[in-house]
Amino acid sequence: MEDREWTLDELAEAYAYPDGTEASHGWLRANMVSSVDGAAHHEGRSQPLSSDADMRIFGVLRGLADAVIAGAETVRQEGYRPARAREAFAARRAAAGQGPAPAIAVVSASLDLDFSLPLFTQPLVPTVLLTGAAADEDRVKAARAAGAQVVFVGEGAAVDPARVTGALADLGLTRLLTEGGPRLLGQFAAAGALDELCLSLAPLVTVGDAPRIMNAPGLSVPERFRLASVLEDDGFLFTRYRRP
């Protein structure tokens, strides 16, 4: 592309979800940022690694999604709020049969969350809590009393990452976006549940001991993804990798 700011329509076309049977049962896309030395965040937050173009793409990816999936620790550290409706995506979402904004889906075994926060009290669409069937009953009741939709995805206390896409698809949420954190994303990848990775590579070096974008037990055999696209802005590379 020429040296100018990309329009939202151009980015929406570039990052459109696949159509047809490959996405009919749910398509799980991840969006993460990394420094060139592999850090997924700086001092606990991803914002210091970001840029204006990165935040623009971040907004587009949310604008296209039915649901945004995040781990409970990421929700706490990043101060997650309900997704907001954006006029720029209203017509596109209506044409796709989507609600005004994506649901936020929080993965949590303990349900150790503050249900008085706006994420639960002020969402445009109900926040979804993904937990295991053995989750604490009192916390489940508290979550439901706060207006959250609790979905059991796993037989024990923990969530089975391989079943998340199907569980959300059963709710009519098939265009899925996960924003991590590294532990949750690693679990999705290890379970073979990740369909696409949108990775923003920041031209920054952080050193330190921050985790990589995926932090989970390693695969016995590395899984290959194919490069789907690359955009560049001010030294930042915005890549998309898809499962072959």
Side-chain angles (χ1 to χ4, degrees), residues 28-31 68-70 176-180 184-185 188 194:
L28 180 58
R29 159 187 285 170
N31 180 38
V68 177
I69 308 169
L176 305 177
L177 171 67
T178 180
E179 297 169 351
L184 178 62
L185 181 53
F188 280 136
L194 184 65

Side-chain angles (χ1 to χ4, degrees), residues 10-240:
E10 286 173 331
L11 290 174
E13 290 300 322
Y15 285 92
Y17 278 83
D19 295 322
T21 57
E22 65 177 337
S24 61
H25 299 294
W27 183 269
L28 180 58
R29 159 187 285 170
N31 180 38
M32 296 291 281
V33 64
S34 171
S35 67
V36 291
D37 60 331
H41 57 66
H42 181 62
E43 296 183 344
R45 301 184 67 243
S46 59
Q47 192 279 332
L49 303 180
S50 188
S51 68
D52 289 344
D54 182 50
M55 292 307 299
R56 192 170 179 80
I57 291 172
F58 172 91
V60 168
L61 294 181
R62 281 199 164 201
L64 298 175
D66 293 332
V68 177
I69 308 169
E73 185 61 22
T74 295
V75 167
R76 288 187 287 263
Q77 288 192 358
E78 300 281 353
Y80 264 53
R81 298 181 61 83
R84 59 188 178 88
R86 297 181 61 189
E87 181 62 31
F89 291 96
R92 186 181 292 270
R93 293 186 67 87
Q98 296 173 293
I104 303 296
V106 183
V107 176
S108 176
S110 67
L111 299 182
D112 181 18
L113 296 157
D114 184 350
F115 297 128
S116 69
L117 293 177
L119 181 61
F120 301 100
T121 61
Q122 300 175 12
L124 282 175
V125 292
T127 294
V128 178
L129 284 179
L130 303 170
T131 192
D136 182 85
E137 292 183 6
D138 289 339
R139 297 303 294 168
V140 171
K141 290 177 182 178
R144 287 175 170 160
Q149 185 171 9
V150 180
V151 179
F152 298 117
V153 191
E155 304 306 321
V159 170
D160 180 353
R163 294 169 55 181
V164 167
T165 299
L168 291 173
D170 288 343
L171 300 179
L173 307 173
T174 59
R175 304 171 186 89
L176 305 177
L177 171 67
T178 180
E179 297 169 351
R183 182 171 176 270
L184 178 62
L185 181 53
Q187 291 173 340
F188 280 136
L194 184 65
D195 298 299
E196 180 179 338
L197 173 63
C198 298
L199 175 62
S200 301
L201 188 63
L204 301 170
V205 172
T206 68
V207 194
D209 57 0
R212 300 186 303 171
I213 63 166
M214 297 187 192
N215 184 14
L219 296 170
S220 57
V221 178
E223 183 176 7
R224 186 176 183 87
F225 278 57
R226 66 176 179 84
L227 181 65
S229 66
V230 181
L231 299 175
E232 186 273 339
D233 180 84
D234 194 27
F236 283 76
L237 297 180
F238 303 102
T239 67
R240 278 196 311 131

